[in-house]
Amino acid sequence: MSLDPSLAPAQPPRGRPWAAKALKALPAGPAAGVARTVLRAVLLAFEAVERRAAWLLLRLGWPVRVHPFSGFGTGGWALLGGRVLVEAPPRVGDARSSRWAVLRSNLLPFLSVEVPGARVRVTLGEREVMARADREGYLQVRLEDLHLPPGRHQVTLTPVRPAGKPALGVVHVPDPAADVAVVSDVDDTIVDSGIAHGLGATLRTMLLQEQSTRVPLTGAPELYRALAQGTPGTVERPFFYLSTSPWNLVGYLQGFLTRHRFPDGPLVLTDWGPGADSLLRVSSRTHKLSTLRQLAQALPHSRFVLIGDSGQQDPAIYADFCAEHPGRVLAVYIRRAGTAGDQRVEQAERLLDEAGVPFVLAEDTDAMLRHAVELGLVAPS
């Protein structure tokens, strides 16, 4: 299977400072002139403060670490990413029972200090390249002319300038014989974010609940393992976890998936901060639909099973993708997360019916699993 590396799942932006992206997001016209000038000054000053903070922390002896993002590739190429950060030294003692300690632990990934322009040595098998982080500390590396069999491949990312300890990442290579790929949302699809119970519940879940105590929604790991295994005689199917969660949470999410035995697969997250169409982050629609389009081109022989929830825009995004790519989607499974999105779900259901794509809206995974068995995607238990 020969794939174009440019069509691999989107990784964090590089080479475009976030101040420039924020300025681009402002509307055009004379009225925006003053706002542009002020915002440019504020953002560039903030960027300078961040660079100075990184320099000072490094002088104080704080360690540098690369946070790898799970990569994706084929037998001939691989695309992977990461972020270079200055990390606080480990705290002495165990204060897990303290609510403040839990809050601090949950906030810490968002209080990162990136190292702009860091040099990192990337090693995959016998290949070794030097990569340079962009002004937000992000790395995006593409290795070509490889010979990788299907499976997981370990990558070593070593900070060279400034120097730091090596970090281990993973590149996932799908089996070219797999004719089905699964793409799943994360929040409220496999783990409860609390959104169905309002903003207060969401904030309590994010800030005051220990991440290690969070559990998957009932039946999700079993459904996903069944979809990965398929029916007798099929090869293991690739999984992609597509979420608008920020890259700051990549470590927690990877640990969650591993701890609860979800199928291996790349996490495709977003960069929270000024973007081309938003001052907070790229929109859910833009992020997810563009990644699905890239996967459709990168895996031309695969059909897709799409899994999401009703709390955001997953039904509409999946319906649009099905309309754009007739015959490429085997089923759409949506977990009901409250009633706020019922109207969007009904509209998406009509579009999916017109496209001839099977659709299941369910409170839990039992109905999804039964439907997958009926379609022949999963072997009967």
Side-chain angles (χ1 to χ4, degrees):
M1 181 166 59
S2 177
L3 305 183
D4 182 352
S6 66
L7 302 177
Q11 294 287 341
R14 62 175 291 137
R16 294 182 60 197
W18 65 286
K21 292 189 286 181
L23 293 170
K24 183 178 178 181
L26 287 174
V34 175
R36 286 176 180 275
T37 301
V38 173
L39 183 59
R40 179 183 291 109
V42 170
L43 295 182
L44 293 179
F46 186 78
E47 199 173 65
V49 169
E50 283 189 318
R51 290 197 301 270
R52 182 68 176 176
W55 181 81
L56 287 173
L57 294 176
L58 290 171
R59 290 291 299 269
L60 291 172
W62 285 36
V64 176
R65 182 182 174 188
V66 180
H67 289 253
F69 304 151
S70 49
F72 168 68
T74 68
W77 61 264
L79 181 70
L80 62 141
R83 201 176 192 191
V84 187
L85 302 173
V86 182
E87 287 204 331
R91 295 172 65 91
V92 178
D94 186 7
R96 292 175 63 86
S97 60
S98 165
R99 176 163 291 196
W100 166 249
V102 174
L103 176 62
R104 177 185 179 276
S105 176
N106 290 342
L107 284 175
L108 201 57
F110 297 94
L111 304 177
S112 60
V113 179
E114 61 267 17
V115 184
R119 302 280 292 180
V120 176
R121 182 170 59 248
V122 180
T123 306
L124 174 58
E126 298 181 355
R127 292 292 307 279
E128 183 175 289
V129 299
M130 292 296 297
R132 187 181 182 90
D134 68 12
R135 293 179 64 177
E136 297 179 71
Y138 283 114
L139 293 167
Q140 183 175 335
V141 183
R142 188 171 68 203
L143 300 171
E144 301 186 62
D145 299 322
L146 302 174
H147 301 283
L148 299 176
R152 290 166 51 97
H153 297 271
Q154 183 174 286
V155 184
T156 304
L157 299 96
T158 307
V160 174
R161 188 184 306 164
K165 293 183 178 180
L168 300 180
V170 173
V171 169
H172 299 267
V173 177
D175 193 317
D179 60 350
V180 176
V182 182
V183 180
S184 174
D185 180 45
V186 176
D187 284 328
D188 297 307
T189 301
I190 62 176
V191 62
D192 186 7
S193 72
I195 192 66
H197 306 289
L199 179 60
T202 303
L203 292 175
R204 286 193 297 272
T205 298
M206 290 180 60
L207 300 179
L208 300 179
Q209 182 177 347
E210 285 193 48
Q211 293 180 348
S212 61
T213 66
R214 298 184 68 182
V215 296
L217 292 166
T218 303
E222 293 79 9
L223 170 66
Y224 283 45
R225 289 196 294 268
L227 286 170
Q229 185 177 358
T231 55
T234 60
V235 301
E236 185 174 2
R237 295 162 175 166
F239 265 72
F240 299 88
Y241 298 94
L242 176 56
S243 171
T244 51
S245 292
W247 285 108
N248 308 65
L249 296 180
V250 65
Y252 155 66
L253 292 175
Q254 287 177 337
F256 178 89
L257 294 172
T258 301
R259 185 163 58 250
H260 296 288
R261 299 175 54 225
F262 281 90
D264 285 336
L267 278 159
V268 186
L269 308 180
T270 59
D271 177 29
W272 279 22
D277 65 351
S278 171
L279 290 178
L280 177 61
R281 61 169 171 80
V282 68
S283 70
S284 175
R285 175 181 172 80
T286 298
H287 172 61
K288 292 186 175 182
L289 192 54
S290 64
T291 303
L292 286 169
R293 289 166 176 162
Q294 291 167 341
L295 286 174
Q297 295 179 67
L299 302 172
H301 304 297
S302 295
R303 301 173 73 188
F304 293 89
V305 174
L306 308 178
I307 310 175
D309 66 86
S310 64
Q312 294 183 338
Q313 301 182 53
D314 289 346
I317 293 168
Y318 293 166
D320 288 345
F321 176 76
C322 291
E324 291 179 0
H325 298 81
R328 295 295 304 276
V329 178
L330 290 169
V332 172
Y333 297 142
I334 298 295
R335 182 188 289 270
R336 184 189 293 276
T339 59
D342 281 357
Q343 185 176 358
R344 293 194 301 267
V345 172
E346 291 175 3
Q347 294 172 349
E349 187 171 9
R350 288 195 296 270
L351 293 174
L352 290 168
D353 184 62
E354 293 174 3
V357 177
F359 172 82
V360 175
L361 173 67
E363 302 285 346
D364 53 41
T365 56
D366 288 343
M368 300 177 191
L369 184 57
R370 289 195 300 270
H371 186 269
V373 171
E374 292 172 4
L375 278 184
L377 291 170
V378 171
S381 57

